[in-house]
Amino acid sequence: KSTEATTLTNNSELVNLKDVKANFYFKDGTVLVIRSKFGEYNSQTLDMKFFEDVNASYNNNLLKANEAEYSNSLGQLMISNKVRVYSPEGDLLADKLTFDVKKQILEIDSFNENKINANIRKK
Protein backbone atom coordinates (compact mmCIF):
# COMPACT_ATOMS: atom_id res chain seq x y z
CA LYS A 1 0.00 0.00 0.00
CA SER A 2 1.04 3.58 -0.53
CA THR A 3 -0.51 7.04 -0.50
CA GLU A 4 0.80 7.75 -4.01
CA ALA A 5 2.03 5.59 -6.90
CA THR A 6 3.48 6.82 -10.19
CA THR A 7 5.04 5.15 -13.21
CA LEU A 8 7.36 6.39 -15.92
CA THR A 9 5.99 6.29 -19.46
CA ASN A 10 9.14 4.54 -20.77
CA ASN A 11 9.18 1.87 -18.02
CA SER A 12 5.68 1.09 -16.77
CA GLU A 13 6.79 -2.00 -14.81
CA LEU A 14 8.53 0.21 -12.19
CA VAL A 15 6.14 1.91 -9.79
CA ASN A 16 7.44 4.70 -7.54
CA LEU A 17 5.70 4.84 -4.17
CA LYS A 18 5.26 7.33 -1.31
CA ASP A 19 4.38 6.47 2.30
CA VAL A 20 4.76 2.73 1.79
CA LYS A 21 3.39 -0.12 3.90
CA ALA A 22 4.13 -3.70 2.81
CA ASN A 23 2.96 -6.86 4.54
CA PHE A 24 4.84 -10.14 4.04
CA TYR A 25 2.84 -13.20 5.10
CA PHE A 26 4.71 -16.37 6.07
CA LYS A 27 3.51 -19.96 6.06
CA ASP A 28 3.67 -20.15 9.86
CA GLY A 29 1.07 -17.38 10.12
CA THR A 30 3.48 -14.60 11.10
CA VAL A 31 3.54 -11.23 9.35
CA LEU A 32 6.47 -8.91 8.61
CA VAL A 33 5.36 -5.29 8.19
CA ILE A 34 7.71 -2.81 6.49
CA ARG A 35 7.03 0.93 6.25
CA SER A 36 9.06 3.65 4.55
CA LYS A 37 8.73 7.17 3.18
CA PHE A 38 9.51 6.04 -0.38
CA GLY A 39 9.63 2.82 -2.32
CA GLU A 40 9.82 1.17 -5.70
CA TYR A 41 7.86 -1.86 -6.88
CA ASN A 42 8.67 -3.89 -9.97
CA SER A 43 5.41 -5.38 -11.28
CA GLN A 44 7.30 -7.91 -13.46
CA THR A 45 9.75 -9.36 -10.91
CA LEU A 46 7.73 -8.48 -7.77
CA ASP A 47 10.91 -6.98 -6.25
CA MET A 48 10.55 -4.06 -3.84
CA LYS A 49 12.86 -1.34 -2.58
CA PHE A 50 12.24 0.83 0.46
CA PHE A 51 13.97 4.18 1.09
CA GLU A 52 14.15 6.68 3.96
CA ASP A 53 12.88 6.03 7.44
CA VAL A 54 12.48 2.28 6.95
CA ASN A 55 10.71 0.64 9.90
CA ALA A 56 9.87 -3.04 10.18
CA SER A 57 8.12 -5.11 12.80
CA TYR A 58 8.04 -8.87 13.23
CA ASN A 59 7.12 -10.89 16.34
CA ASN A 60 7.83 -8.13 18.91
CA ASN A 61 11.05 -7.17 17.08
CA LEU A 62 11.48 -3.66 15.67
CA LEU A 63 13.97 -2.67 12.98
CA LYS A 64 15.01 0.76 11.73
CA ALA A 65 17.22 1.50 8.73
CA ASN A 66 17.59 3.84 5.76
CA GLU A 67 17.19 1.21 3.03
CA ALA A 68 15.67 -2.22 2.47
CA GLU A 69 15.24 -4.38 -0.60
CA TYR A 70 13.20 -7.51 -1.18
CA SER A 71 14.37 -9.72 -4.06
CA ASN A 72 11.57 -12.09 -5.01
CA SER A 73 13.78 -14.15 -7.33
CA LEU A 74 16.46 -14.66 -4.64
CA GLY A 75 13.97 -14.95 -1.78
CA GLN A 76 16.02 -12.45 0.22
CA LEU A 77 15.35 -9.35 2.25
CA MET A 78 18.40 -7.07 2.50
CA ILE A 79 18.40 -4.21 5.01
CA SER A 80 21.21 -1.67 5.01
CA ASN A 81 22.45 1.76 5.99
CA LYS A 82 22.35 2.38 9.74
CA VAL A 83 20.55 -0.81 10.73
CA ARG A 84 19.18 -0.90 14.27
CA VAL A 85 17.23 -3.84 15.70
CA TYR A 86 15.31 -3.70 18.98
CA SER A 87 14.19 -7.04 20.39
CA PRO A 88 13.10 -8.48 23.73
CA GLU A 89 16.28 -10.62 23.49
CA GLY A 90 18.55 -7.60 22.92
CA ASP A 91 19.51 -4.80 20.56
CA LEU A 92 21.77 -4.83 17.51
CA LEU A 93 23.57 -2.21 15.39
CA ALA A 94 25.03 -3.31 12.04
CA ASP A 95 25.70 -2.12 8.51
CA LYS A 96 23.68 -4.77 6.67
CA LEU A 97 21.31 -7.64 7.39
CA THR A 98 20.43 -10.25 4.78
CA PHE A 99 17.57 -12.60 5.54
CA ASP A 100 17.13 -15.67 3.34
CA VAL A 101 13.37 -16.21 3.48
CA LYS A 102 13.47 -19.77 2.15
CA LYS A 103 16.28 -21.04 4.39
CA GLN A 104 15.34 -18.72 7.29
CA ILE A 105 18.97 -17.70 7.80
CA LEU A 106 20.07 -14.23 8.91
CA GLU A 107 23.48 -12.89 7.88
CA ILE A 108 24.86 -9.84 9.73
CA ASP A 109 27.56 -7.72 8.07
CA SER A 110 29.81 -4.85 9.06
CA PHE A 111 31.86 -2.85 6.56
CA ASN A 112 35.34 -1.30 6.78
CA GLU A 113 36.26 -3.49 9.75
CA ASN A 114 33.61 -1.85 11.91
CA LYS A 115 32.30 -4.00 14.69
CA ILE A 116 28.76 -5.23 15.11
CA ASN A 117 27.32 -3.82 18.30
CA ALA A 118 25.01 -6.20 20.15
CA ASN A 119 23.44 -5.95 23.59
CA ILE A 120 22.01 -9.32 24.62
CA ARG A 121 19.50 -9.43 27.47
CA LYS A 122 19.58 -12.28 29.97
CA LYS A 123 16.36 -14.19 30.41
Side-chain angles (χ1 to χ4, degrees), residues 63 77-79 83 85 92 94 96-99 106-108:
L63 178 141
L77 177 63
M78 294 154 283
I79 301 141
V83 180
V85 178
L92 173 75
K96 182 179 177 184
L97 301 179
T98 304
F99 181 65
L106 177 66
E107 185 177 302
I108 304 168

Side-chain angles (χ1 to χ4, degrees), residues 77-92:
L77 177 63
M78 294 154 283
I79 301 141
S80 60
N81 199 345
K82 297 184 181 178
V83 180
R84 299 167 305 282
V85 178
Y86 306 98
S87 169
E89 290 83 20
D91 303 329
L92 173 75

